[in-house]
Amino acid sequence: MQRRYLGLTAAVAALATAISVSGCGSVGAAGGDVTLKLVAADYNLDGGDGTKKYWEGLSKKFEAKNPGIKVDVTIYSWDDVDRKVAEMVKANEAPDLAQIGAYADYAADGKLYSANDMLSIPTQANFLDSLSQDGRVDRIQYGLPFIGSTRQLFYNKTLFQKAGITDAPETWEQLAADAKKLKKADVPTPFALPLGPEEAQAETLNWMLAGGSGYVDEIGTYTINSADNIKAFRFLKEQLVEPGLTGPVAPGKLNRKAAFEAFAKGQVGMLNGHPSLMQQAQKNGVKYEMAPMPTPKGNARPSMGVADWMMGFKQNGHRKEMGKFLDFVYSDENVLAFADEFDLLPVTLTASEKMARDNKHQKLHKFLEALPNSESYPVSKTSWATVSGNIKQQIGKAVEPSNTPGGILGVLSREAAALDNAAQR
């Protein structure tokens, strides 16, 4: 079900687990009675090694405090990490810990330790309550939120000035009009619409929420082809894609990473972005500003808020060691270090309060302010991982010339309902 983020959770106690990160992916140090294997996602948008350095630094500190435990960390891109973990689990070679995009299907199969099995009480109690709720299957928490973000409309101030635009659009009509002005000013991509397979489920939810709907209704039933959702995709197709306002790459083939890179090069007028885009744009000297997502009539709607998930697999039986490590990972110091590195939002109450009080995070405050009223994916549904995969592969077709939004959304909705029914049997 969609949930509103009402607070942040999971402050960290102390922990005992040694970690070491190696070059291409594997992070490991010799010696130790227990080796924990962690698969983690790469958060670098520009090919850098910040994710690797984070885990290296964390492991050294943890290793010094906890002799007898080591952690091998393998880092994969977001294009690959969920698939890699699924392959490991299928081959009966599950990692001890995985930091990926979805947990519920593994929980439903009985493969995960619960949060209660692993975490100290202070750590477990410090998670944002709504995120803690989103991490539950059958009222038991298995998914541990790792990092959070919300979305804002980013726009290039220089390109806006060039096109004679003075303010951010508040309605869909204004957004389309501004995109036309940007095209007339020879901006290569007036509005970037990444509906490619990397993260199409996120861009899709942005527009669904702005239109007044979402993936599921209040009782958790999939509503992918609701009237509001169809209306949103008709707007995208008829007012942005068909007039040539979404750039040279078809939305269904445009990935988020490529869209962000183009914005950071000054080639995009507007797009929906998460906090990490700020750092990427600043490095290239792009002058930008942010505003809430436009809606049909300009009225306020919830922003999309998401968390990535940490989970502990039972297969190797390292429950106590995993708990020590996770308590360490979720300390304020380490949570804020990761959030600082990638301009993302902490998922613990204490760390988020510290960020809100710190003026050096002033740009992030807009995203923090949006978090309490944001809405997320239906991650607690065991069908979501497969439904999300289907959306990634098919949603771009909804704005193609030969298809209708209602037709594609209808197919996706029927597939989602069938998967959900099968999961509940």
Side-chain angles (χ1 to χ4, degrees):
M1 292 179 62
Q2 296 177 115
R3 298 185 185 277
R4 294 201 171 185
Y5 291 169
L6 302 176
L8 278 163
T9 126
V12 176
L15 127 37
T17 304
I19 221 179
S20 67
V21 181
S22 83
C24 296
S26 216
V27 178
D33 300 323
V34 172
T35 298
L36 298 180
K37 295 186 180 297
L38 165 64
V39 174
D42 187 359
Y43 283 79
N44 283 94
L45 296 174
D46 55 3
D49 61 355
T51 304
K52 174 177 174 289
K53 287 183 176 180
Y54 171 80
W55 288 114
E56 283 179 339
L58 182 71
S59 65
K60 288 178 181 178
K61 289 187 292 183
F62 181 78
E63 196 170 71
K65 295 180 179 180
N66 298 278
I69 307 172
K70 72 171 183 176
V71 180
D72 289 330
V73 181
T74 303
I75 299 168
Y76 292 109
S77 74
W78 273 111
D79 290 346
D80 300 322
V81 67
D82 290 274
R83 175 176 56 83
K84 290 288 188 179
V85 170
E87 290 171 353
M88 292 175 191
V89 173
K90 186 175 181 180
N92 203 33
E93 298 175 352
D96 294 285
L97 295 161
Q99 185 267 298
I100 53 178
Y103 70 88
D105 48 344
Y106 299 123
D109 289 341
K111 297 183 183 297
L112 301 182
Y113 286 118
S114 70
N116 191 54
D117 289 332
M118 297 183 291
L119 302 179
S120 67
I121 291 174
T123 297
Q124 191 174 355
N126 195 32
F127 286 117
L128 171 64
D129 183 63
S130 61
L131 290 178
S132 177
Q133 295 290 332
D134 279 340
R136 297 183 183 187
V137 173
D138 294 333
R139 300 183 182 181
I140 298 173
Q141 184 180 359
Y142 296 96
L144 314 179
F146 177 69
I147 201 72
S149 70
T150 56
R151 297 297 190 270
Q152 294 274 303
L153 177 75
F154 281 70
Y155 59 95
N156 184 310
K157 293 171 66 177
T158 303
L159 296 180
F160 264 43
Q161 185 176 13
K162 180 182 177 183
I165 306 169
T166 57
D167 297 306
E170 296 181 0
T171 68
W172 287 358
E173 182 180 2
Q174 290 170 356
L175 186 148
D178 288 346
K180 290 176 182 177
K181 292 176 183 177
L182 290 163
K183 183 178 181 181
K184 191 174 180 180
D186 297 324
V187 174
T189 302
F191 187 92
L193 184 63
L195 295 177
E198 179 192 0
E199 204 183 31
Q201 85 285 1
E203 185 69 18
T204 297
L205 185 55
N206 279 322
W207 290 98
M208 287 180 169
L209 291 174
S213 190
Y215 284 126
V216 297
D217 61 19
E218 292 181 355
I219 61 172
T221 302
Y222 282 110
T223 55
I224 294 174
N225 66 336
S226 70
D228 284 336
N229 290 342
I230 292 172
K231 181 180 178 180
F233 272 82
R234 280 179 179 159
F235 166 77
L236 294 176
K237 180 180 180 181
E238 296 171 5
Q239 300 300 318
L240 295 181
V241 179
E242 289 179 350
L245 304 178
T246 54
V249 179
K253 297 186 180 300
L254 180 64
N255 282 329
R256 172 195 57 91
K257 185 175 181 179
F260 280 20
E261 288 174 349
F263 186 86
K265 292 177 181 177
Q267 299 170 353
V268 173
M270 297 177 281
L271 85 172
N272 296 314
H274 59 59
S276 292
L277 182 55
M278 297 190 302
Q279 186 179 108
Q280 199 172 2
Q282 288 166 357
K283 284 181 179 179
N284 291 336
V286 171
K287 296 180 180 179
Y288 68 92
E289 192 49 79
M290 299 171 294
M293 176 77 173
T295 60
K297 296 182 179 180
N299 52 319
R301 291 271 167 78
S303 169
M304 183 184 78
V306 299
D308 300 324
W309 299 94
M310 181 77 79
M311 62 212 69
F313 286 88
K314 292 180 178 179
Q315 182 174 320
N316 300 318
H318 295 151
R319 178 180 64 84
K320 291 183 179 179
E321 293 83 1
M322 289 156 61
K324 290 180 180 180
F325 176 66
L326 290 170
D327 280 345
F328 186 71
V329 169
Y330 284 105
S331 67
D332 282 358
E333 178 184 359
N334 292 323
V335 169
L336 286 170
F338 195 89
D340 284 347
E341 177 68 25
F342 300 103
D343 281 335
L344 291 169
L345 306 180
V347 294
T348 65
L349 177 61
T350 51
S352 62
E353 288 174 343
K354 288 179 180 179
M355 178 176 281
R357 294 194 300 265
D358 192 339
N359 285 335
K360 81 173 184 178
H361 297 297
Q362 193 166 5
K363 281 279 190 180
L364 279 172
H365 290 174
K366 284 190 176 183
F367 295 94
L368 277 173
E369 289 166 5
L371 194 61
N373 293 316
S374 64
E375 295 189 10
S376 182
Y377 308 128
V379 291
S380 62
K381 295 176 77 67
T382 56
S383 58
W384 172 245
T386 304
V387 171
S388 176
N390 290 343
I391 292 166
K392 290 179 181 181
Q393 296 299 321
Q394 299 183 55
I395 195 64
K397 298 176 183 177
V399 296
E400 290 179 353
S402 58
N403 296 314
T404 64
I408 299 300
L409 293 176
V411 169
L412 287 167
S413 196
R414 290 190 291 274
E415 290 175 345
L419 288 164
D420 204 34
N421 289 335
Q424 294 176 25
R425 287 173 188 160

